[in-house]
Amino acid sequence: MPSLLFCGPKMAACGIVISIWGVIMLAMLGIFFSAKSAVLIEDVPFTEEDIRKDTNPPQNIYSLYNQVGINCFIAAGIYVAVGAVSLCQVRLNKRQEYMVT
Amino acid sequence: MCSLLRGEEMCLAQLFLQSGSAYDCINELGELGLVEFRDLNPGVNAFQRKHVNEIKKCEEMERILGKDILIFNIHMCYHHNYYCSYVHYHWVYVCVCSQEQLQRLEVELGEVTRNKEKLQRNLLELTEYTHMLRTTRNFVQRTSEVSYEEFPFLEKDTLMDYSSMQRLGAKLGFISGLIQRTKIEAFERMLWRVCKGYTILSYAEVEEYLEDPDTGEPTKSVVFLISYWGDQIGQKVKKICDCYHCHLYPYPSSNEERTDVVEGLRTRIQDLHTVLHRTDDYLKQVLMKASESVYTWVIQVKKMKAIYFILNLCSFDVTNKCLIAEVWCPVNDIPTLRRALEEGSRKSGATVPSFVNRIPTNDTPPTLIRTNKFTSGFQNIVDAYGVGNYREVNPAPFTIITFPFLFAVMFGDLGHGVIMALFALWMVLYENNRKLKNTRNEIWNTFFEGRYIILMMGLFSIYTGLIYNDCFSKSLNIFGSGWSVKAMFEAKVWKDADIRGNRVLTLDPNVTGVFRGPYPLGIDPIWNLASNRLTFLNSYKMKMSVILGVIHMSFGVILSTYNYLHFRKKHSLYLVFLPELLFLLCLFGYLVFMIFYKWLVFTAKDSRLAPSILIHFINMFLMQGDGVQPLYPGQTGLQVFLVVIAVLSVPVLLLGKPVYLYWLHNGSHRLGMYRGYERVRRNSEEELYLMRAHDMEEGSSHSDLSTSGERQTEEFDFADEFLHQAIHTIEYCLGCVSNTASYLRLWALSLAHAQLSEVLWTMVMRVGLRMDTSLGVFFLVPVFGLFAVLTVSILLVMEGLSAFLHALRLHWVEFQNKFYSGTGVKFCPFSFSLLPSSFEHDGLL
């Protein structure tokens, strides 16, 4: 079986740090989007149409908020996977270090 | 006590060391690292000192050890058995190093290595010879089918061939050997040109790589066989072979001879292999034995050299039996010093103990400030500007709080502060990890040394991030905003049509219910949505910067009183400190007062009538109070009064101290006799000397006036003092204005940081979040990665360094200008742990 190691120790450590940061930050962003925070209004992809054609305001905007929130949660999940891969790489690197000496 | 505020009290001491126990006593002192030795023989150069021979011997030993370690490393690379077990030098004295031992070791190692080289050369020759014989046999066998008419090859019957040769009147000769493959073509061409066909060259390549004895590289060789006839040709051929550095070997004339030689060679080669193997083993054994102690020896030699260097600084006393050394020692450490000397005397088995004697002096001692791992970072950044004078107030303990605070005012972001604090926390928690401590990367070492500074900066940034309500450029709504948009509709100020018709609308805080009260902690989160956010924040941050600046500078001026009181210069308190403080507070303290007054007195209702502080401030100087409405009754009068006080304090600052000192020194001539009478009463010079020393320690002689004379009537140069004070006055007064403006960088950098943060979010993160296609979510993952990398590199590293630099400048120039002189000398004790290790540079230790 070919070696599963494809990045060095420093790159794997960076991967872990960015993954942890990504998980925490994207999860919190997801929570804030789901709570329909007003400060994040500019990040929601709404158009003029959505506001004008809204039959039951502000449900359109709210559904967009929810959508972005779910996007954030999915991205957080992907970062969990990236973090797991990085953790494996760190462990493999450590094992290789023991074998050389 | 109060070591961090002021520095330790130091004294000059004389050590009386017995000649026999001098080495051991200094050894003890080096282990403890207590004292700094002074050079008692300054006029002597390095080659005339007493222990120069011992130092030369130590350097010789260092050289041998360095070479040995090199040989050791080379060999151990081949035999990687014990190489990795030597990471630390150990302090256990395995065997005492002596120069004879080292020289013996060097000679032995040299011999063994030379023998090994000779044997290897021998082996190479024999191998080449074997190759040559084998290959030329192929020549003979190959070409025996083809026989030339004129030159029949030698066969079994040499006699017959010899006679047939003689028929032609020529002798057929053979030269055989090996040549490097790169040279064979040139060789052949040269032979042809010189001998013009009277020689025949046949050659074949040797398959294996043979090691070139000079360079040690494997090279390919070619075996050649030259058959020639005639003596002259033979000599020419020999010369050409010499030119091309061929290895020539005797060509056997018959096949039996050939087989004999081959047999003989084979046995010899086998013998040589055995001998080489044994030599290798022996070399390994010798190195093993030496390696156990070689690292300890390195340390011992270093210590020895340092001790002899210190012994060179000492001088002999009158009786020539006892060594005298002068050291600077902290007063609190004198008992430890005594104990160390006793220990040293005991170790050397001397009958007469060495002792220490404190002596009074007029020289300024070096400054020692004891720090721990937390305070050492801050002390370093203060010392980078200048080491404090002896017993001067040290700005470092105040810097521990003000520096991270001013940094945080410029950095002010909650998210970035959290990341910075976590990074610093990681470094602090793993500070004992050897890998982190001992890397050679300069930049990493700088960050690691300042880990506590970075931790404080991060924690303070979290606080100011909460105040500015800025977290990755978004505000957090923790308590609920104090502004309400619904109230504008309820009060019928806005209608639905207004929203469709206008791009921006203004919330009016005068309408009931719109502004429900200030946000409990920090800036209201609604400002993040406002388009006039910067107008509001700029005004707030500028005023805050001026307030912080005036407070910081006033604190600096107040600290100077500590110095004046400690050094018994009470006159400076009234003639320097008071005018300075009055000047600063009357002008800029009043500005701060006006800022607070405006904040407190004017509400949203009178916002249209609120005056501009700047206009009032300018009018104060121009004494034009009539154009604008006063802030409060009596403002004009008060302002005039303050300006007059500030202007009057300038000449007091300029002339007060020089005139007073002039009067003190010259006006008291008439009182001189009275003083002389007092002097006569003290009958011993020593008492006077000790009194002076007492005065010195209290610090009274530490002043800019020349106090080097022994008498009370020192030289007082009025012109010099006046010039000095004039420069100080101009610098201070102009500096007040420019330094207050300089603190506006707090506003400027915090604005820059906030804007950069916002730009990063808008340009990077928003693009990822606004993706509304179905696969857009997978785009968010790399976008966040890019956002993270750019945040760390631009906002944390670049802005962090920038804010660090500016906060440092504010401390060094604006704060320390007011009280710190920083022209002292740092105390460098004699300590073995501080010796530079030259072996570390070569990566051998």
Side-chain angles (χ1 to χ4, degrees):
Chain A
M1 176 149 113
S3 161
L4 289 171
L5 199 67
F6 56 84
C7 53
K10 292 202 175 107
M11 176 95 139
C14 280
I16 286 196
V17 169
I18 291 195
S19 310
I20 295 179
W21 181 1
V23 167
I24 297 179
M25 186 155 164
L26 287 167
M28 295 200 73
L29 268 181
I31 295 176
F32 285 134
F33 273 114
S34 305
K36 326 263 186 317
S37 146
V39 168
L40 294 167
I41 186 76
E42 297 282 330
D43 300 313
V44 174
F46 67 85
T47 58
E48 279 295 312
E49 301 267 317
D50 287 326
I51 298 190
R52 250 180 306 138
K53 292 221 175 110
D54 204 354
T55 47
N56 187 8
Q59 291 315 110
N60 259 4
I61 303 286
Y62 276 13
S63 63
L64 280 172
Y65 261 106
N66 281 338
Q67 205 176 356
V68 180
I70 292 181
N71 276 357
C72 285
F73 284 127
I74 296 178
I78 295 182
Y79 266 108
V80 170
V82 169
V85 167
S86 296
L87 195 64
C88 284
Q89 292 297 311
V90 163
R91 289 245 178 87
L92 283 176
N93 267 313
K94 282 226 172 79
R95 209 189 304 165
Q96 201 181 53
E97 216 177 78
Y98 289 146
M99 288 199 316
V100 164
T101 53
Chain B
M1 202 44 216
C2 345
S3 166
L4 192 57
L5 180 64
R6 228 176 246 295
E8 290 267 331
E9 200 184 330
M10 309 281 283
C11 66
L12 190 64
Q14 251 179 349
L15 304 178
F16 289 86
L17 306 166
Q18 299 302 320
S19 318
S21 46
Y23 186 90
D24 289 289
C25 289
I26 297 190
N27 201 353
E28 280 298 310
L29 290 179
E31 299 279 348
L32 290 172
L34 278 178
V35 298
E36 179 181 348
F37 283 86
R38 272 172 112 188
D39 192 358
L40 287 176
N41 314 315
V44 183
N45 79 5
F47 294 102
Q48 292 166 349
R49 298 216 182 226
K50 189 167 174 298
H51 295 280
V52 66
N53 286 331
E54 278 89 351
I55 293 190
K56 278 195 195 151
K57 274 198 240 171
C58 288
E59 290 190 344
E60 173 73 16
M61 285 200 262
E62 271 185 342
R63 185 192 60 80
I64 297 177
L65 284 170
K67 210 171 64 164
D68 286 349
I69 291 184
L70 208 54
I71 301 179
F72 173 66
N73 285 349
I74 291 176
H75 276 272
M76 289 306 111
C77 277
Y78 286 152
H79 307 271
H80 33 238
N81 285 339
Y82 298 95
Y83 185 57
C84 303
S85 54
Y86 292 99
V87 185
H88 274 315
Y89 42 75
H90 29 272
W91 292 93
V92 178
Y93 276 29
V94 175
C95 59
V96 178
C97 170
S98 71
Q99 199 190 10
E100 295 80 29
Q101 249 184 329
L102 274 182
Q103 274 175 341
R104 248 187 294 131
L105 179 64
E106 179 186 23
V107 159
E108 205 174 342
L109 276 180
E111 254 183 52
V112 173
T113 334
R114 268 194 302 275
N115 283 345
K116 187 168 159 189
E117 280 173 17
K118 233 190 321 183
L119 288 172
Q120 275 177 334
R121 223 179 268 271
N122 221 349
L123 180 63
L124 182 68
E125 280 176 14
L126 296 179
T127 327
E128 286 185 344
Y129 199 2
T130 327
H131 279 303
M132 189 219 79
L133 288 175
R134 213 181 327 131
T135 322
T136 47
R137 186 178 51 197
N138 291 344
F139 287 167
V140 173
Q141 283 176 351
R142 191 166 29 100
T143 57
S144 61
E145 300 98 50
V146 181
S147 57
Y148 295 98
E149 289 140 23
E150 298 104 295
F151 314 113
F153 273 103
L154 292 172
E155 285 165 0
K156 298 217 174 8
D157 194 359
T158 38
L159 215 58
M160 184 196 84
D161 292 344
Y162 188 65
S163 57
S164 62
M165 287 312 110
Q166 272 204 320
R167 239 189 310 121
L168 298 164
K171 239 190 317 187
L172 185 65
F174 292 94
I175 290 189
S176 58
L178 278 98
I179 186 177
Q180 284 183 7
R181 184 178 62 175
T182 43
K183 298 188 187 161
I184 184 65
E185 280 152 19
F187 183 57
E188 195 177 358
R189 240 175 277 139
M190 180 66 81
L191 266 183
W192 174 258
R193 282 202 199 118
V194 171
C195 308
K196 295 199 181 29
Y198 286 102
T199 60
I200 295 180
L201 168 75
S202 14
Y203 59 85
E205 199 172 300
V206 179
E207 295 92 28
E208 348 170 315
Y209 280 89
L210 293 172
E211 201 174 293
D212 182 0
D214 302 314
T215 60
E217 287 167 10
T219 47
K220 274 259 182 172
S221 304
V222 168
V223 173
F224 65 87
L225 174 68
I226 305 178
S227 36
Y228 63 90
W229 57 301
D231 250 342
Q232 300 280 347
I233 302 276
Q235 284 179 11
K236 280 193 196 160
V237 171
K238 279 210 184 65
K239 280 213 191 99
I240 296 175
C241 287
D242 275 335
C243 278
Y244 279 88
H245 303 288
C246 307
H247 300 164
L248 296 178
Y249 298 103
Y251 185 69
S253 22
S254 72
N255 271 348
E256 288 109 15
E257 209 182 317
R258 188 201 301 278
T259 31
D260 285 336
V261 173
V262 166
E263 272 303 314
L265 281 180
R266 203 174 322 150
T267 22
R268 277 174 66 193
I269 287 178
Q270 249 177 342
D271 287 338
L272 267 181
H273 272 304
T274 328
V275 173
L276 270 176
H277 196 68
R278 291 269 169 76
T279 321
D280 248 350
D281 275 345
Y282 179 63
L283 189 60
K284 197 161 66 150
Q285 254 180 356
V286 170
L287 285 174
M288 273 303 124
K289 211 160 55 94
S291 73
E292 285 158 20
S293 7
V294 79
Y295 287 103
T296 347
W297 287 350
V298 165
I299 304 298
Q300 283 186 42
V301 168
K302 252 191 223 316
K303 280 196 202 176
M304 223 190 294
K305 191 167 155 190
I307 296 178
Y308 279 120
F309 183 75
I310 295 293
L311 282 174
N312 272 344
L313 299 178
C314 309
S315 72
F316 271 109
D317 79 333
V318 200
T319 61
N320 247 15
K321 281 220 180 62
C322 168
L323 219 52
I324 303 187
E326 265 186 26
V327 298
W328 288 113
C329 180
V331 170
N332 294 339
D333 281 343
I334 298 252
T336 330
L337 181 59
R338 284 216 177 88
R339 269 200 302 274
L341 285 181
E342 279 168 17
E343 183 73 18
S345 309
R346 195 183 53 79
K347 273 202 181 138
S348 68
T351 45
V352 187
S354 314
F355 59 94
V356 61
N357 190 18
R358 197 168 147 176
I359 54 177
T361 173
N362 274 343
D363 295 337
T364 329
T367 319
L368 169 67
I369 298 182
R370 291 196 210 270
T371 53
N372 56 22
K373 65 185 178 183
F374 178 70
T375 54
S376 67
F378 298 98
Q379 187 65 48
N380 280 343
I381 62 179
V382 168
D383 283 346
Y385 175 77
V387 179
N389 288 344
Y390 177 62
R391 298 228 101 197
E392 184 181 39
V393 162
N394 179 23
F398 311 107
T399 307
I400 295 179
I401 296 297
T402 59
F403 178 76
F405 181 69
L406 288 183
F407 172 88
V409 168
M410 292 192 266
F411 196 71
D413 188 308
L414 183 70
H416 302 154
V418 164
I419 297 175
M420 189 181 270
L422 284 176
F423 171 61
L425 196 64
W426 169 70
M427 279 199 289
V428 164
L429 289 176
Y430 283 81
E431 65 187 355
N432 292 323
N433 180 348
R434 248 184 317 119
K435 207 157 50 123
L436 287 182
K437 261 205 292 201
N438 296 338
T439 48
R440 282 182 214 290
N441 191 348
E442 284 281 332
I443 298 183
W444 167 259
N445 275 348
T446 317
F447 278 106
F448 187 72
E449 294 284 316
R451 55 194 184 276
Y452 284 103
I453 305 182
I454 300 179
L455 181 62
M456 294 288 279
M457 292 184 336
L459 292 175
F460 275 74
S461 298
I462 295 178
Y463 168 70
T464 54
L466 274 174
I467 300 288
Y468 290 156
N469 213 345
D470 196 1
C471 174
F472 295 113
S473 84
K474 298 282 165 196
S475 296
L476 299 172
N477 190 356
I478 307 176
F479 301 104
S481 172
W483 292 71
S484 159
V485 178
K486 199 172 6 176
M488 291 295 275
F489 284 95
E490 282 168 3
K492 304 277 188 287
V493 182
W494 289 349
K495 294 178 284 296
D496 274 348
D498 284 329
I499 301 203
R500 268 177 258 280
N502 292 314
R503 280 218 62 180
V504 274
L505 290 168
T506 316
L507 285 171
D508 186 356
N510 284 322
V511 172
T512 17
V514 172
F515 180 60
R516 290 189 296 225
Y519 195 68
L521 178 72
I523 307 268
D524 199 303
I526 197 160
W527 285 105
N528 211 328
L529 301 168
S531 60
N532 62 341
R533 175 178 193 222
L534 281 182
T535 319
F536 168 66
L537 279 183
N538 281 353
S539 155
Y540 158 69
K541 283 184 184 173
M542 275 203 250
K543 291 179 179 165
M544 170 198 71
S545 310
V546 169
I547 294 173
L548 285 177
V550 172
I551 293 179
H552 204 209
M553 285 195 292
S554 315
F555 180 54
V557 173
I558 291 175
L559 273 183
S560 67
T561 54
Y562 279 72
N563 276 342
Y564 296 143
L565 286 175
H566 184 260
F567 292 121
R568 300 283 172 79
K569 292 204 274 192
K570 258 214 159 122
H571 57 88
S572 287
L573 208 56
Y574 300 117
L575 296 171
V576 177
F577 164 68
L578 214 48
E580 281 182 355
L581 195 65
L582 280 176
F583 184 81
L584 182 62
L585 288 183
C586 286
L587 297 179
F588 299 99
Y590 180 65
L591 178 62
V592 168
F593 164 74
M594 278 206 288
I595 294 176
F596 275 112
Y597 184 81
K598 183 174 172 186
W599 274 347
L600 292 173
V601 170
F602 288 85
T603 62
K605 288 198 203 349
D606 343 283
S607 59
R608 252 167 249 289
L609 317 159
S612 160
I613 306 260
L614 213 48
I615 307 261
H616 278 265
F617 195 55
I618 294 176
N619 282 345
M620 175 165 125
F621 287 104
L622 301 176
M623 307 275 198
Q624 282 172 17
D626 312 324
V628 287
Q629 199 172 1
L631 283 173
Y632 51 88
Q635 180 189 10
T636 355
L638 180 65
Q639 280 182 187
V640 166
F641 173 64
L642 289 175
V643 170
V644 161
I645 289 201
V647 167
L648 278 183
S649 63
V650 174
V652 175
L653 184 59
L654 177 68
L655 295 171
K657 187 166 151 190
V659 165
Y660 173 77
L661 288 170
Y662 179 75
W663 172 81
L664 199 61
H665 288 278
N666 293 16
S668 55
H669 262 318
R670 259 158 276 134
L671 308 168
M673 275 191 304
Y674 176 64
R675 290 250 173 86
Y677 171 61
E678 272 191 69
R679 264 210 301 282
V680 161
R681 273 205 320 160
R682 304 189 196 295
N683 30 25
S684 66
E685 175 78 12
E686 201 179 296
E687 233 182 77
L688 184 62
Y689 207 31
L690 283 175
M691 205 180 73
R692 288 241 69 217
H694 174 76
D695 278 344
M696 190 278 314
E697 275 156 28
E698 299 296 316
S700 64
S701 68
H702 172 74
S703 69
D704 343 81
L705 298 183
S706 47
T707 48
S708 45
E710 299 121 6
R711 303 283 171 232
Q712 288 288 67
T713 55
E714 296 97 359
E715 294 288 324
F716 175 65
D717 190 356
F718 178 73
D720 190 43
E721 183 58 32
F722 179 70
L723 188 64
H724 183 90
Q725 193 64 18
I727 293 176
H728 178 82
T729 307
I730 295 176
E731 201 183 10
Y732 180 79
C733 297
L734 293 181
C736 266
V737 182
S738 85
N739 291 350
T740 309
S742 180
Y743 275 92
L744 285 173
R745 71 187 68 222
L746 295 174
W747 156 63
L749 266 105
S750 86
L751 176 67
H753 188 92
Q755 290 301 295
L756 267 176
S757 185
E758 195 175 317
V759 161
L760 193 63
W761 183 278
T762 318
M763 301 249 147
V764 178
M765 200 68 182
R766 188 164 293 176
V767 171
L769 288 170
R770 284 193 89 121
M771 274 282 156
D772 50 1
T773 59
S774 52
L775 289 179
V777 62
F778 298 107
F779 188 59
L780 182 57
V781 175
V783 160
F784 177 81
L786 182 63
F787 173 77
V789 167
L790 286 177
T791 297
V792 170
S793 63
I794 297 180
L795 290 172
L796 283 180
V797 171
M798 187 183 90
E799 279 288 316
L801 282 175
S802 169
F804 181 95
L805 178 77
H806 285 284
L808 198 58
R809 175 249 153 77
L810 281 177
H811 277 79
W812 280 356
V813 178
E814 275 80 11
F815 176 58
Q816 290 179 349
N817 244 353
K818 306 286 184 285
F819 69 98
Y820 190 60
S821 49
T823 50
V825 172
K826 198 161 176 175
F827 175 71
C828 298
F830 169 61
S831 163
F832 289 136
S833 54
L834 294 178
L835 288 180
S837 170
S838 60
F839 285 111
E840 273 169 15
H841 289 302
D842 305 329
L844 292 168
L845 205 65

